[in-house]
Every structure is written in C-alpha cells, then in structure tokens.
Amino acid sequence: MFALVDCNNFYVSCERVFDPSLNGRPVVVLSNNDGCFIARSNEAKALGLPMGGPAFKFRETLKKHQVKVFSANFPLYGDMSSRVMETLANLAPEIEIYSIDEAFLDMTGFRRFGFREYGATIRKTVTKHTGIPVCIGMGPTKTLAKVANQLAKKEPRYNGVCLLSEEQEIEAALASLKVEDIWGIGRQWSALLQVRGIKTAFDFSRASSTWIRQHLHITGARIQEELLGHSCLPLEQVRPPKQSICTSRSFGRSVIGFEELQQAVATFTGKCAVKLRKEGSVASTLTVFICTSPFNEPSQKYWGTKTVALRQPSQDTIAIIRAADQVLAAIFKAGYEYKKAGVIVGGISSATASASPLSLFPDEETEQTNDRRQKLMQVMDKVNRRYGTGTMHTGAENSEAWKPQQTNLSPHYTTAWKDVIEVRGN
Amino acid sequence: MKLLRIHTSPILDFYTADYSTELALPLADAGISAGFPSPAEEYEEVSLDLNKALIKHPAATFYARVKGTSMTDAGILDGDLLVIDKSLDPKSGDIGVCFLDGEFTVKRIEQIDDALYLMPANERFQPIRITEESDFQVWGIVTFVIHKTR
C-alpha cells in the first residue's frame, strides 16, 4: 500500500503559519520577479485567479477583494518543506520525497493500525507539528495513491484522507477522473485518447493494452497497469542525480551592454557551480542563453543560445565562468534590449566517479592548479555557508545586482535570527 | 570522552570536557541504509550540544523574540528568545505562544473551571479570558527561554 501526502496550497500555507490572520482570506504567492501566480489559497481560486496567471492582468480583482499578495519566499518554503518531510519520515520510514510539497510513503507495514486511521494520524501530526495542512491518498499503487489524493482534496467528506482499496471504490474513482488528470498523462496523450473515445481514467484502464503499448509506449502501459492495481513504480528512496541544473532569471529592467550581461551570466554560472559542488557532481556541458522580451516587435526580438562541452568535467566556478564568458561572446548581438539570461550545466556525473585524470598527457602543473582551485572552492563554500550566500565570490559575479525583484516578501521566519516572529508580552 | 567537574559552588557545578583521549571514528558511508546501527552511537556524548539538549522535536521547533514585559516574573524578559515546540499538547500551567485576535502573544495558559485564561506574570497586567468570540489558537508551547546577560 502506498500513500501520497500532499501539502495543501503549500506556499500559501507556509505564509499562514506565521500569520494565522490570513486564514480564510484570499492569498496568492507570485513567482520570481513578482510575475505570475504560483500558489493560491482556496479563496483566491474561488475568485477565478488562475494558476500561472500574470499578476498585472488581475490587478483589479486583487485590489477589489483585498487579496494578500506575497513574493515567493523560497528560503522559508524550503525550510518548512524539510520540516514536513522529517515529520513524515518519523511516521513512516520508507519515504520518497517527490517534490517540495509531496511525498510517497510505503504503508505496507501499517495494516495493523488500519490504513485509514493511520492516515488520519499522519495528517493530524504533520499539521500539529509544522502548521501545514496536508491531504493523504492511499492505494495499492503510486498512481492510485495519486488518484486517491485528488479525491481527498476535492471531496470534503473524506476529511483529507482517502483510501482506495476495494475494487468498486477504485472503479468509481476512476470513472469520475478525467483522462487528462491521470498522473503522467500529458496534454498530447490526452488529446490522442479523447479522439479514441477514452475520456475517463476508467476508460483508460479498460482500453486495449496492445493499443496503449503501441501509442503510449512503455510509460503508458505502466500507467494502465498501475490503475489496475498492479504496482510497477517502486518507491524511489534515493533520487538519481539531476541531469542538468539551470539558473535563469528575467531582469527587472532592460539590459543592453555586454559587460552587464557578462556579469549576470557569471552570477548565474556561479550559482550552478555551487549547486554542483553541493551535490558532489561535475558537469560536462554548458549552455548559455540570452533573450529579449517575447512581446517585442519582430525586428526587436532575439533569442541567442549555444551549448558547449567543457574541456573537462568541472564544478569549478572560475573554470565554468571562463567558458560561459566565451559562449556569451559568441551569441551576443549588440543593439537589443535583453530581458532574460540563463545558464544550464548538463551531462552531470558524480565528482568522485570522474576524478581520474582525463587528459591524455596530464602535466604536473595543471594537476597542481586543479588541486589548488579545488581547495579555493572549498574555502569559498565554507565561508558562504557560515556568513551567508554571496559573502565570498569571484570578481565576475554580483549576486546583489541580479537578485530577483521581490516587493512583497515575507520575513525569513525560520532561517534568519533577525526575522523570527515577535510575540507580544503586554 | 568524559566530563570533568572543575568547580563546585552551592548553586552551580561547572564542567569541562576532557579531550585527552582521541578516537578516530570511521566516516559513516552515505550508502548505509536507515536502521543500521551507527558505529558512532557508542560515543555520542562527545560534546555538549545545546541543540540536542534544548530541542526534542527539531521539525516542530521554532524560535520567537519577546516584545514586552507581561511575563517578567516568569523569567521572560523583553528581547528574550523563546524556544517553541509545536508538537506538544498544551496543559494547564504551560507557557504558550498563542495567536489571539490577530496577534501573537506569550502567556501562561490556565484552565479554571470550564474557562480558559491567558495569565500574565507581572501584576501590572490583567488576565485575559478566552471567550467563544475570541479568534484564538495555541500556536506552540514554550520549552526554553534564552536570555542574554551581557
């Protein structure tokens, strides 16, 4: 038996923990640079504010209904997520952290407590310990647990915990679920299925398996098996290392000069390198892209991108920034107003696995530089961990200047001493 | 490692850590699965870790800063830092961080007969009776107070 635990409107719930007066009021959280809605409270959903909707288009609704608007406070959300996951891991030892606000649990050992009862215990405990409300769906496969979770969220009668175990329950649940809402069925597949008259998850589960294998391949076949109650997707307790890391950002203003772009790209590259070192990984490829606003006149539009292989797999800020600089020079065109830039490092592998010298004739001098560089990076990371991100950086970077715009940021309640909540003693 | 008593006074005993014996411990391999007994377990008391002493439920522990003087007789002064455990069930007599009518407040929670009161620890302040109309929640229980002395 699997359970999927999903935090309700997670980012909004994080804000509400530290300001309970927001309960029952419409709340939204905006993406980096205060662009689009990335989380909405139920009250905000009821006002018709769509997921991903650009805030400026809904300015009037926001004002009229006094919607509380927050800039994304990722340090807070990250910390609250770890608290939720840690609480879950104490309640059920086999856990797969699926995203910042979702986790799968293996419930097999909890039959003796009663699945529904234990689900209710998990729900109550997480909410009490962290303040974050969650919904729990349980089923014999991960895909059915996801279905159950959708029901738990939608139908108040489940009280936030839905168990799908009897055949009739499962069939009824599948019949009420649209095919495009099945976990793993994308928009393209859903269009294909609609044409074939497959409209609900129940239709999908009863469709010809040969046809599904033919058109939706092994992934589709697995989803069908899972809907029928045969588990094909095991709990992934250890995540495979990421295949690529991307740092990109829209600028709050237009950027025209090469030097300014250079600094932005170096800053984003530096962030990627830090992430690589944190994961103990090295990257083999580097992509840089720069672009103008998509709303520009065609003659004012430009999108430049280029991917190169690094001379040797690296996690070294200085080496990767040097490479990024050359790529940027190759794609930069003067005379455009740039609105966004990004850096993607790819071909990632474990640093220890690729530690063997790759050059055919390694000379002692390079070896020594590499060694010294590695030590320098270690010192830099240590300083930044202790005194805060950005304390020590290369001259090419400037994370202050390329910070996203966040006008409605809540305090870092759980990650900065100066921001802990104030309680009145009077 | 042992703890050595270095000074005894009528009120406080002072200890220092003895580092004279050093033990090289194997680094735990990241691949070891949960449940495997850690080789370091036996030597856990290698230092006095305030985090471990003050925090029983890390995922449920939060900090808050006090503003005001209503709890001074309970040793909670203006500017003190509170260690708050959200996982604990409130008992009458506990000091709690409560959310009352739009504001966080710290008070002693007392149940008297059937009524709930927030009791200040300073005679210049009045007890607050929680009524049906109050927008009230016990946010967490205060387990320690950190007070700066210089």
Side-chain angles (χ1 to χ4, degrees), chain B residues 50-71:
Chain B
L50 271 180
N51 276 335
K52 273 192 202 145
L54 303 189
I55 298 172
K56 293 285 167 272
H57 308 104
T61 297
F62 295 83
Y63 303 103
R65 184 86 57 190
V66 180
K67 261 194 133 174
T69 55
S70 70
M71 293 298 284

Side-chain angles (χ1 to χ4, degrees), chain A residues 17 83 128 421 423-425, chain B residues 61 65 67 70 89 104 139:
Chain A
V17 171
R83 290 167 182 269
K128 182 159 171 48
I421 55 168
V423 298
R424 303 292 289 262
Chain B
T61 297
R65 184 86 57 190
K67 261 194 133 174
S70 70
D89 290 315
F104 282 111
W139 195 83

Side-chain angles (χ1 to χ4, degrees), chain A residues 17-21 23 79-80 82-83 86-87 127-131 413-414 417 420-426, chain B residues 58-70 81 86-89 97 99 103-106 125 137 139:
Chain A
V17 171
F18 299 93
D19 186 356
S21 71
N23 288 323
D79 179 72
M80 293 305 286
S82 329
R83 290 167 182 269
E86 194 181 323
T87 308
T127 308
K128 182 159 171 48
H129 287 206
T130 67
Y413 297 110
T414 58
W417 285 115
V420 300
I421 55 168
E422 272 182 358
V423 298
R424 303 292 289 262
N426 55 20
Chain B
T61 297
F62 295 83
Y63 303 103
R65 184 86 57 190
V66 180
K67 261 194 133 174
T69 55
S70 70
L81 194 71
K86 268 178 91 67
S87 71
L88 302 174
D89 290 315
V97 166
F99 192 75
E103 231 173 43
F104 282 111
T105 183
V106 56
F125 292 83
Q137 100 180 59
W139 195 83

Side-chain angles (χ1 to χ4, degrees), chain A residues 60-134:
Chain A
E60 247 157 59
T61 318
L62 295 176
K63 209 172 150 192
K64 189 173 154 205
H65 297 276
Q66 297 184 317
V67 178
K68 180 77 183 170
V69 178
F70 285 101
S71 304
N73 185 347
F74 287 113
L76 175 67
Y77 310 152
D79 179 72
M80 293 305 286
S81 170
S82 329
R83 290 167 182 269
V84 170
M85 298 306 167
E86 194 181 323
T87 308
L88 289 175
N90 283 328
L91 291 161
E94 314 273 307
I95 170 171
E96 172 189 343
I97 298 173
Y98 183 69
S99 71
I100 192 166
D101 58 355
E102 291 170 287
F104 285 102
L105 310 176
D106 182 352
M107 300 290 286
T108 314
F110 295 96
R111 185 181 294 277
R112 62 206 155 101
F113 299 114
F115 291 129
R116 236 180 231 110
E117 290 72 13
Y118 199 66
T121 304
I122 293 176
R123 181 164 183 262
K124 215 176 95 199
T125 310
V126 173
T127 308
K128 182 159 171 48
H129 287 206
T130 67
I132 301 289
V134 298

Side-chain angles (χ1 to χ4, degrees), chain A residues 129-301:
Chain A
H129 287 206
T130 67
I132 301 289
V134 298
C135 276
I136 302 180
M138 284 179 275
T141 69
K142 279 165 85 176
T143 309
L144 285 171
K146 183 90 184 177
V147 173
N149 191 288
Q150 282 157 314
L151 280 176
K153 215 176 282 171
K154 210 165 55 187
E155 311 226 5
R157 70 192 161 100
Y158 287 111
N159 248 328
V161 181
C162 172
L163 169 71
L164 291 178
S165 59
E166 306 294 324
E167 201 168 315
Q168 287 147 313
E169 289 171 315
I170 295 178
E171 282 183 10
L174 294 184
S176 72
L177 186 72
K178 287 191 230 143
V179 77
E180 64 261 35
D181 291 339
I182 305 174
W183 187 42
I185 299 285
R187 207 178 305 162
Q188 268 185 339
W189 279 1
S190 127
L192 178 71
L193 292 162
Q194 297 284 355
V195 171
R196 185 137 169 126
I198 298 170
K199 297 207 155 47
T200 68
F202 181 76
D203 299 341
F204 185 83
S205 69
R206 297 301 142 103
S208 146
S209 58
T210 330
W211 184 88
I212 286 188
R213 189 171 277 271
Q214 226 165 45
H215 293 87
L216 274 53
H217 318 290
I218 182 75
T219 316
R222 275 204 194 116
I223 295 174
Q224 188 182 35
E225 281 295 305
E226 285 248 317
L227 287 177
L228 291 169
H230 310 134
S231 180
C232 316
L233 304 169
L235 215 58
E236 284 176 33
Q237 286 171 280
V238 181
R239 289 232 130 182
K242 291 193 198 103
Q243 280 311 293
S244 66
I245 296 172
C246 174
T247 306
S248 75
R249 205 150 287 164
S250 305
F251 309 137
R253 56 190 168 86
S254 304
V255 172
I256 296 165
F258 180 73
E259 283 75 24
E260 259 194 302
L261 267 185
Q262 207 175 16
Q263 195 187 53
V265 166
T267 306
F268 305 159
T269 308
K271 288 195 186 303
C272 290
V274 169
K275 285 182 198 158
L276 283 171
R277 293 199 292 274
K278 211 167 167 185
E279 286 204 341
S281 310
V282 288
S284 329
T285 71
L286 169 73
T287 308
V288 178
F289 67 86
I290 50 176
C291 59
T292 56
S293 163
F295 304 115
N296 279 3
E297 293 285 309
S299 67
Q300 297 302 313
K301 252 197 264 192

